[in-house]
Amino acid sequence: MNEAHAQAGLASELQKDNVVDHQQKRISAVETAKLDESSRTPVLLGFFFAILWLIQGTWFGDISSFKFDWPNLLSEEPYLTFGRLRPAHLNAMVYGWASSAMFAVSLWMMPRLCRVALQWRMSAIVGICIWNIGVLVGIVLLLAGTSDGLEWLEFDRHTADPLMVAGAALVGASVWKTLAARTVRHLYVSVWYVAASYPWFLIIFIAGNLPIFRGVESAAVNWFYAHNALGLWLTTINLGLIYYLMPKIIGRPVYSYWLSLIGFWGLALFYALNGMHHLIGGPMPSWMIATSITASILMVIPVVAVGINQHMTVVGRFGAMRYSPALTLLVLAAMAYTAVSLQGILTALVNVNRVTHFTHWTIAHSHLGLYMFVTFSLFGGIYYILPRVLGREWPSIGLIRAHIMLIGIGIVLYVVALGIGGVLQGLSLLDQKEGFEASVRAVKPWLLVRSLAAVLITIGHLAFFFHVILMIYRPRPADNPPFFFVRPVLIRGKK
Amino acid sequence: MSLANQGQILLQANKPRPITRIDFRLKNQRGRLTEKPPMFANSIAIITLIIVTGLPVLFFLLWAVLDGQFDQIEATAEEIFDTDELRYPRPWENSRQQEERVSAYGRPILDPWNDWRRWL
């Protein structure tokens, strides 16, 4: 007990000391490596599960997409029908891939930012395992036909969801315990983003799964959850990652720390009100829709603040992207964040929503956010973190280049094709002279392009998966220096 | 069933039905009809959830201000860098950017090879 008090006192003293001069409180690269070592097991575990789910979720998505082009494809077995595969794809990607990777990213960043070894490591390890058991149970039940029938909340609330709540709570406990034990006093903006994400997620996930809501209120709570899962969970941890890694790789502090704080607090204060704009035109009280649209427009402030800040941090140093695949992906992710947020604000306007609602535009929008922002950011994080945690270099520059090119071209094609197709579909649906079939004909060619884009993305994922395996079993010799400092990777580099 | 009977049934089915007015009024707890429309006017759940999600944010913002979290902005922005990390020249920087680095962070470390190798 006394020892614990003494440690707490020491930490407090260290925090106070830190106020004096941050320059003198910097730690060496060796100490940073020790902090990485403290989080090694849970980080690797998180990435392991994440990459498995990435591949599985990609297949689910591919088959779902192909079914639009060939409706009879794999329709004999109930578990391969669109109604089961599509939610399985979404849930595998959001909870399996993105969330597991975000656990790993959080647990890697927090010790570095708090300058203390990861606390309650076993809690994090157990949490990640329980979470992934929950996801597995949810996916199996979904394919077997058991679904809660709510968007983003399809997992069975009696079996899968409690496991996921327990898993996230255990990982969150480790994150918050590390925060409490920090030896720095001032919290870097990434700490705000990461630490806030865990209680937010638990609140919205538990609320969204409560079986007490009926009718219109059920839809309202459903979209409160679905929208905030994007904004207060997926967005926050990835913005925290970008705010940490972008300055680190470029080698200069973020352009304006004030703007980064405006971005965080603006999001924290306005975002929770936004979800109801998904129900424009529905039987909702007008004040709720109006409040949501107003809050959506207010989101311009944090979005523009983050966009300007990240752009100004990189501007004049875009050449660094040739050297670092992590930076390339993070810059693209940051651009996608600005684009998807502005697109979301635009879509919240009633006149735009009238055309785009119930069309493939929404799918394009969600992939711009969930893939080009969230997944690119996590890929960037993995490219940076795995060599440091494993102590091995990525073995093939060619595979890195192929991965980035394939997913980059694939997702641009995907978003543009479905964006155009969605608008044509919406205009056709609004035209009273045309039947419903006309809207299907209008969007059909664009769905074929989407399937082509999905194939490119899948090949990219397989290249990445193969590269990770190669890294584990045939790493580059240890005496080779890191590729990003030796020669450009993406454009001019040689194998 | 004869053809005539079938025709009669068909005629009855196609006969325009009288428009019936639906009573939208709700019964109150005493079982009496009220004038309140069955519209979804408020969502206590959503209001509560927004308060639960948003109110702690205000609390933490106040705490951050009182705790002096925003006192040393520039220093906090540089907190993420390791010792001498900002002194390493980067190969993508032009001469002006390199000069800026030297003036801000001191003499460059000209042989960063070993350190970068250690970092991987």
Side-chain angles (χ1 to χ4, degrees):
Chain A
M1 191 70 180
N2 287 337
E3 194 181 338
H5 279 298
Q7 280 182 353
L10 184 65
S12 175
E13 285 303 311
L14 281 167
Q15 286 173 18
K16 279 180 192 166
D17 287 351
N18 195 261
V19 180
V20 181
D21 189 355
H22 281 258
Q23 303 283 339
Q24 293 170 4
K25 293 294 168 191
R26 293 225 178 106
I27 57 172
S28 68
V30 178
E31 287 169 300
T32 303
K34 281 182 187 165
L35 295 178
D36 285 355
E37 182 61 31
S38 74
S39 60
R40 187 173 189 268
T41 310
V43 167
L44 289 176
L45 195 65
F47 283 148
F48 169 74
F49 284 123
I51 293 168
L52 290 184
W53 284 119
L54 173 74
I55 299 300
Q56 191 54 48
T58 305
W59 289 120
F60 289 151
D62 285 345
I63 300 169
S64 304
S65 176
F66 297 155
K67 279 173 182 284
F68 279 96
D69 308 310
W70 302 284
N72 291 328
L73 178 76
L74 300 174
S75 56
E76 294 82 14
E77 298 294 335
Y79 66 89
L80 290 174
T81 49
F82 182 80
R84 297 189 190 181
L85 276 181
R86 190 262 174 189
H89 162 66
L90 188 149
N91 285 275
M93 285 310 204
V94 171
Y95 302 114
W97 151 246
S99 298
S100 297
M102 281 155 51
F103 289 151
V105 162
S106 314
L107 295 166
W108 177 79
M109 274 198 296
M110 287 303 281
R112 281 178 162 234
L113 291 167
C114 296
R115 301 271 173 86
V116 67
L118 184 71
Q119 306 290 299
W120 290 356
R121 189 169 60 161
M122 193 48 70
S123 165
I125 292 169
V126 173
I128 290 171
C129 292
I130 291 178
W131 171 275
N132 278 281
I133 292 168
V135 176
L136 182 65
V137 169
I139 294 283
V140 169
L141 287 177
L142 262 182
L143 294 176
T146 302
S147 166
D148 286 355
L150 295 168
E151 187 81 11
W152 285 58
L153 290 169
E154 288 92 346
F155 278 169
D156 181 42
R157 59 166 62 101
H158 303 293
T159 53
D161 293 339
L163 288 169
M164 290 165 68
V165 168
L170 286 170
V171 177
S174 175
V175 165
W176 273 77
K177 179 64 182 166
T178 307
L179 175 63
R182 70 190 189 278
T183 60
V184 289
R185 182 171 171 192
H186 289 97
L187 303 179
Y188 186 66
V189 66
S190 300
V191 178
W192 287 109
Y193 275 116
V194 172
S197 302
Y198 285 86
W200 274 335
F201 176 75
L202 286 169
I203 291 169
I204 61 172
F205 192 72
I206 291 169
N209 278 299
L210 288 177
I212 56 173
F213 306 112
R214 294 282 177 274
V216 180
E217 191 155 55
S218 173
V221 175
N222 185 188
W223 278 110
F224 172 82
Y225 168 74
H227 200 78
N228 286 324
L230 183 66
L232 300 181
W233 173 240
L234 297 161
T235 297
T236 39
I237 290 184
N238 284 289
L239 280 184
L241 178 68
I242 292 171
Y243 267 123
Y244 179 67
L245 283 188
M246 201 182 263
K248 284 284 276 187
I249 296 171
I250 292 174
R252 65 189 301 230
V254 68
Y255 170 72
S256 165
Y257 194 71
W258 272 118
L259 277 180
S260 71
L261 291 175
I262 289 170
F264 171 75
W265 292 106
L267 181 130
L269 290 167
F270 302 141
Y271 203 91
L273 297 162
N274 283 3
M276 296 309 110
H277 69 217
H278 284 272
L279 298 168
I280 292 172
M284 300 290 293
S286 55
W287 71 265
M288 280 173 71
I289 301 291
T291 308
S292 180
I293 293 173
T294 310
S296 303
I297 294 167
L298 279 173
M299 279 301 293
V300 166
I301 297 167
V303 167
V304 170
V306 171
I308 289 174
N309 208 12
Q310 291 176 345
H311 176 75
M312 292 305 288
T313 304
V314 188
V315 77
R317 291 164 174 82
F318 282 105
M321 289 165 68
R322 295 206 313 270
Y323 293 79
S324 168
L327 184 70
T328 304
L329 288 159
L330 292 167
V331 167
L332 291 173
M335 287 175 173
Y337 171 70
T338 309
V340 75
S341 303
L342 294 176
Q343 192 191 29
I345 293 163
L346 190 74
T347 310
L349 302 176
V350 176
N351 287 341
V352 180
N353 202 275
R354 194 172 290 137
V355 177
T356 60
H357 209 163
F358 302 124
T359 71
H360 286 283
W361 167 277
T362 310
I363 317 300
H365 176 61
S366 61
H367 278 78
L368 184 59
L370 272 173
Y371 195 86
M372 202 164 176
F373 166 46
V374 172
T375 295
F376 273 34
S377 162
L378 292 171
F379 277 142
I382 292 174
Y383 273 123
Y384 189 89
I385 296 167
L386 264 193
R388 285 162 174 80
V389 175
L390 283 174
R392 296 169 181 186
E393 187 50 274
W394 290 99
S396 167
I397 292 168
L399 279 173
I400 293 174
R401 200 178 297 148
H403 174 223
I404 295 178
M405 292 295 176
L406 282 164
I407 61 170
I409 294 168
I411 194 61
V412 169
L413 199 61
Y414 190 114
V415 171
V416 170
L418 275 198
I420 295 170
V423 171
L424 293 176
Q425 184 190 12
L427 291 173
S428 176
L429 283 169
L430 286 177
D431 191 343
Q432 293 177 349
K433 292 174 195 159
E434 292 184 351
F436 181 75
E437 297 84 359
S439 70
V440 177
R441 278 197 300 274
V443 78
K444 209 163 181 288
W446 302 103
L447 291 172
L448 196 62
V449 178
R450 187 264 294 266
S451 292
L452 176 68
V455 171
L456 292 178
I457 291 170
T458 305
I459 299 170
H461 287 178
L462 290 174
F464 175 72
F465 182 62
F466 176 65
H467 201 189
V468 173
I469 292 173
L470 210 61
M471 186 187 194
I472 295 166
Y473 291 106
R474 292 177 64 187
R476 186 183 266 208
D479 59 340
N480 270 9
F483 55 81
F484 56 86
F485 195 63
V486 179
R487 55 184 173 234
V489 179
L490 291 174
I491 298 171
R492 293 185 203 151
K494 293 175 185 175
K495 266 190 178 180
Chain B
M1 190 183 287
S2 70
L3 201 63
N5 283 345
Q6 282 182 22
Q8 258 185 345
I9 290 166
L10 202 65
L11 279 173
Q12 279 174 359
N14 289 336
K15 216 163 98 178
R17 290 176 184 173
I19 298 168
T20 52
R21 284 187 179 277
I22 300 167
D23 194 345
F24 281 110
R25 291 175 301 172
L26 291 176
K27 282 184 179 174
N28 62 16
Q29 287 178 338
R30 292 179 183 174
R32 291 178 184 167
L33 288 173
T34 67
E35 290 303 318
K36 188 182 171 187
M39 171 188 163
F40 182 61
N42 284 305
S43 172
I44 301 299
I46 293 293
I47 294 168
T48 310
L49 282 171
I50 287 171
I51 290 171
V52 169
T53 320
L55 210 56
V57 175
L58 284 175
F59 168 76
F60 277 106
L61 180 60
L62 189 66
W63 171 82
V65 172
L66 294 176
D67 191 55
Q69 287 290 328
F70 309 135
D71 289 352
Q72 294 189 328
I73 288 295
E74 297 305 321
T76 311
E78 293 191 3
E79 194 179 87
I80 58 172
F81 297 103
D82 297 341
T83 315
D84 296 333
E85 189 177 350
L86 293 170
R87 287 174 60 199
Y88 293 121
R90 266 67 174 173
W92 53 80
E93 288 182 339
N94 58 34
S95 54
R96 186 179 57 79
Q97 289 167 343
Q98 283 172 5
E99 284 168 17
E100 280 174 8
R101 184 176 295 283
V102 172
S103 64
Y105 305 110
R107 193 166 47 82
I109 298 173
L110 293 174
D111 183 21
W113 194 266
N114 287 325
D115 230 26
W116 279 99
R117 185 192 296 176
R118 190 171 61 209
W119 291 2
L120 276 179

